[in-house]
Amino acid sequence: MRLSRFAALTSSVLLAAGAALFGGAGQAAAAQADFGYVALGDSYSSGVGAGGYDSGSGDCKRTTRAYPALWAAAHAPQTFAFTACSGARTNDVLANQLAPLNTGTDLVSITIGGNDAGFSDVMTTCVLQSESTCINRVNQAKAYVDSTLPGRLDQVYSAIDSRSPNAHVVVLGYPRFYKLNGTCTTGLSEGERAAINGAADYLNAAIAKRAADHGFTFASVAGAFTGHEICSGAAWLHSVNWLNIGESYHPTAAGQSGGYLPVFTNAA
């Protein structure tokens, strides 16, 4: 696992600041090197569901309420590139998001893999069809996670490492959607909710394994969202929203600031 470059830089600046008090001003200035952060990924990183979208980001729906922008606002990196995009799959990251990465990049964040595994189709199937059909579709997604997703993730992670070999890379996972035996009295069955939660854990385990094999840090958000799932009574996730279907099953602004942001901050 790579040492956090942000933590290392912070320590060096503090030490250099102390040295400056004793006449080491040049050392302090030298320690304050440029710090570059690049945020890649899908809708969980762009901030779909949090609102306040930047019109300039178009269909990517990036927002200042997403955890990458919140982290950048709080820590003021010298450079911040935000290329995460709603609907992104691994091939989209490779084709459209990697340009800001370079040898001077210190920190990278990414959520990716959910769309490759068919997240949207799984949820559509489960909402509109029978429990057995839902569970069959979940099992198909898990089979894809076993057979194909690891290779796709390897391509993305290798490309990140090649372009920014000195960066600390944080790969964030996905939350479980449902609190079982919670407040929901309509909608999906408990069997469907349990299958969907199990699929999220299955996907996260696969992502964590590939991240670790590349020397990256995997940061789970499952714990942060515990007690804030759909059916919890205090959800940080949108349930199905027929008026804005694209925001369904995505974190709210509170999910970004209270769930993803502290997990990323601790990992960075």
Side-chain angles (χ1 to χ4, degrees):
M1 182 180 296
R2 300 178 182 182
L3 174 68
S4 166
R5 293 287 300 280
F6 181 74
L9 178 65
T10 300
S11 297
S12 67
V13 169
L14 290 174
L15 289 171
L21 294 176
F22 300 95
Q27 294 177 29
Q32 298 181 45
D34 290 351
F35 189 90
Y37 168 38
V38 179
L40 312 170
D42 55 23
S43 53
Y44 280 71
S45 290
S46 71
V48 170
Y53 307 117
D54 175 10
S55 60
S57 69
D59 291 339
C60 286
K61 293 189 175 180
R62 289 185 285 269
T63 173
T64 55
R65 300 174 186 174
Y67 76 85
L70 293 172
W71 190 92
H75 295 88
Q78 191 74 19
T79 61
F80 171 48
F82 191 11
T83 60
C85 189
S86 175
R89 300 186 180 195
T90 50
N91 62 328
D92 297 308
V93 173
L94 291 169
N96 304 315
Q97 296 188 22
L98 302 182
L101 296 175
N102 56 59
T103 56
T105 300
D106 299 283
L107 178 64
V108 177
S109 65
I110 185 169
T111 56
I112 201 66
N115 291 318
D116 291 76
F119 151 78
S120 179
D121 187 61
V122 167
M123 297 312 302
T124 300
T125 300
C126 290
V127 168
L128 297 179
Q129 300 191 43
S130 68
E131 178 176 304
S132 62
T133 303
C134 167
I135 293 174
N136 285 339
R137 183 63 185 90
V138 167
N139 288 335
Q140 290 173 15
K142 290 168 70 174
Y144 179 92
V145 169
D146 285 337
S147 65
T148 307
L149 185 62
R152 298 287 177 88
L153 294 174
D154 281 340
Q155 290 177 0
V156 172
Y157 298 162
S158 293
I160 292 171
D161 192 42
S162 176
R163 288 172 174 262
S164 50
N166 301 312
H168 176 60
V169 182
V170 180
V171 179
L172 294 99
Y174 299 94
R176 299 185 188 102
F177 287 168
Y178 293 102
K179 177 177 176 60
L180 300 181
N181 301 308
T183 59
C184 296
T185 58
T186 60
L188 302 184
S189 69
E190 283 297 286
E192 289 172 316
R193 292 173 186 142
I196 291 166
N197 282 358
D201 290 341
Y202 202 81
L203 172 62
N204 285 329
I207 293 171
K209 176 63 166 60
R210 301 317 308 142
D213 285 350
H214 286 264
F216 298 167
T217 297
F218 178 77
S220 172
V221 298
F225 277 83
T226 298
H228 296 286
E229 310 96 328
I230 299 166
C231 305
S232 68
W236 284 350
L237 291 158
H238 293 280
S239 186
V240 62
N241 182 351
W242 297 111
L243 298 179
N244 191 342
I245 201 68
E247 293 196 341
S248 300
Y249 305 108
H250 283 83
T252 63
Q256 288 286 340
S257 63
Y260 271 93
L261 177 62
V263 169
F264 176 56
T265 300
N266 288 337

